[in-house]
Amino acid sequence: MILVTGGTGFVGASVLRRLAEDGTHALRAAVRRADATVPYGVEKVLVDALTANTDWTAALSGVTAVVHCAARVHIMDDTAQHPLDEFRRVNVQGTLTLARQAAAAGVQRFIFVSSIKVNGEMTEAGAPFTADDVPAPVDAYGVSKLEAEQGLRELEVQTGMEVVIIRPPLVYGPGVKANFAAMMRWLARGVPLPLGAIHNQRSLVALDNMVDLMVTCLRHPNAAGQTFLVSDGQDTSTTELLQRMAQAMGRRAHLIPVPASMLKLGAKLIGKPDIAQRLCGSLQVDIEKTRRVLGWTPPLTLDQGLQKAAKGNVRETSV
């Protein structure tokens, strides 16, 4: 039996679908609503929240592996008075409570979806993040994910439960939200964008590639005790990404070649420097360790991933 938390979320729901299609494991999804939709044959168990006080007894009964996708996710304009406290309450205390109860229940392997933000916010040209870099999180979300990782490694030593950590960059695919979905809407509507001269390099990961690695980590003996980075294996600039997205949608990208320095200045003047960093800065990840240890290759190319994302978001992006 495999337990998936966050089973109705963007990544968790896709993991459940993939595992249900494989048909090799009994599956259970931790959900917060009785009417939550899960794939046929997947057992639902109600869990009110991910906190230090959550009782996972029913959810963990008979479970041999946990795929932990549930989290308090990164929010661009977080309105919480003390964001780090809120992230810790869910991502650290909630995760470690689940993990301790999982170990006590005899769970053999615990897959934790972390974040590339544990490594940091940006990379220099030609110096991608690696899985063995010294962590350097900047924001509260990244700090909470690092603290959860550290707690899980300590628990692994104490209990022998195998922990596998995966740090993805931006995950995109059918049903993607936030900034990626906004860019698709702009392209669909033919909105001119001042992003035609951005020469950065960023790593992304298609939803199918992310899920494939997670399923691989459930089964591969060499995954135990490891931390992996994941991507499509093809880095791209913001300008090239928009051009490829438009092509996948059967549209033409209207990009104005505004220098990155001017975009950064404008974003700073309006109090939104983080937006410019995401659009103009580089964030590359090196997945050589993932390939070598697991013999894993991303099943989808960047263009194939964008095509699936475009088809899956056709209603949202239609004019």
Side-chain angles (χ1 to χ4, degrees):
M1 173 75 76
I2 296 174
L3 171 68
V4 177
T5 72
T8 59
F10 181 53
V11 174
S14 292
V15 172
L16 278 175
R17 284 195 296 270
R18 166 68 182 272
L19 290 172
E21 289 169 1
D22 288 351
T24 55
H25 300 279
L27 300 173
R28 182 178 294 151
V31 298
R32 299 184 66 176
R33 302 189 321 275
D35 62 349
T37 301
V38 297
Y40 177 76
V42 175
E43 177 188 346
K44 292 189 292 187
V45 60
L46 288 176
V47 177
D48 289 338
L50 183 64
T51 70
N53 300 316
T54 304
D55 183 357
W56 292 91
T57 303
L60 289 168
S61 177
V63 168
T64 57
V66 172
V67 180
H68 184 40
C69 302
R72 186 176 192 267
V73 299
H74 177 255
I75 305 170
M76 282 289 291
D77 296 310
D78 200 331
T79 58
Q81 188 173 3
H82 301 290
L84 182 54
D85 290 344
E86 292 301 310
F87 280 119
R88 280 176 169 155
R89 181 177 62 82
V90 177
N91 296 347
V92 183
Q93 297 167 18
T95 293
L96 296 183
T97 293
L98 167 61
R100 290 188 194 100
Q101 294 182 35
V107 169
Q108 298 167 13
R109 185 166 290 191
F110 191 98
I111 311 294
F112 178 57
V113 179
S114 186
S115 169
I116 196 60
K117 283 178 168 287
V118 169
N119 287 70
E121 293 290 328
M122 60 183 294
T123 56
E124 298 298 329
F129 287 136
T130 74
D132 299 319
D133 288 342
V134 175
V138 174
D139 66 7
Y141 174 71
V143 169
S144 73
K145 285 292 191 178
L146 172 59
E147 291 178 355
E149 287 188 15
Q150 292 169 333
L152 288 170
R153 289 295 180 218
E154 291 175 5
L155 187 66
E156 183 177 38
V157 172
Q158 295 165 4
T159 67
M161 181 175 69
E162 299 171 348
V163 173
V164 185
I165 294 169
I166 302 174
R167 296 179 189 160
L170 187 151
V171 183
Y172 68 94
V176 67
K177 304 295 183 184
N179 294 337
F180 201 93
M183 287 194 293
M184 296 185 77
R185 288 194 296 270
W186 295 336
L187 291 169
R189 295 167 183 167
V191 176
L193 301 172
L195 300 171
I198 309 301
H199 305 296
N200 58 348
Q201 287 291 291
R202 296 192 76 89
S203 300
L204 312 172
V205 60
L207 181 59
D208 282 1
N209 288 341
M210 177 67 181
V211 169
D212 190 77
L213 178 61
M214 294 169 72
V215 172
T216 299
C217 287
L218 271 172
R219 301 167 176 167
H220 203 298
N222 292 346
Q226 298 288 347
T227 297
F228 297 113
L229 304 190
V230 60
S231 78
D232 293 336
Q234 297 172 264
D235 297 339
T236 182
S237 69
T238 298
T239 298
E240 183 185 9
L241 175 63
L242 290 166
Q243 292 168 338
R244 288 184 166 197
M245 286 171 63
Q247 184 176 9
M249 298 164 62
R251 303 296 178 109
R252 178 174 175 270
H254 300 278
L255 305 179
I256 303 169
V258 177
S261 58
M262 292 184 62
L263 291 174
K264 292 177 181 178
L265 177 60
K268 184 177 181 179
L269 291 174
I270 63 173
K272 300 288 186 180
D274 289 349
I275 294 178
Q277 167 56 36
R278 284 169 173 76
L279 291 172
C280 303
S282 292
L283 196 161
Q284 294 175 272
V285 304
D286 182 347
I287 62 170
E288 189 278 331
K289 175 184 174 181
T290 311
R291 295 179 186 270
R292 171 174 46 83
V293 173
L294 301 176
W296 181 80
T297 299
L300 294 187
T301 65
L302 174 61
D303 286 330
Q304 289 170 333
L306 291 173
Q307 288 165 8
K308 291 199 71 170
K311 291 178 181 177
N313 289 274
V314 64
R315 292 181 180 178
E316 291 85 351
T317 58
S318 59
V319 176

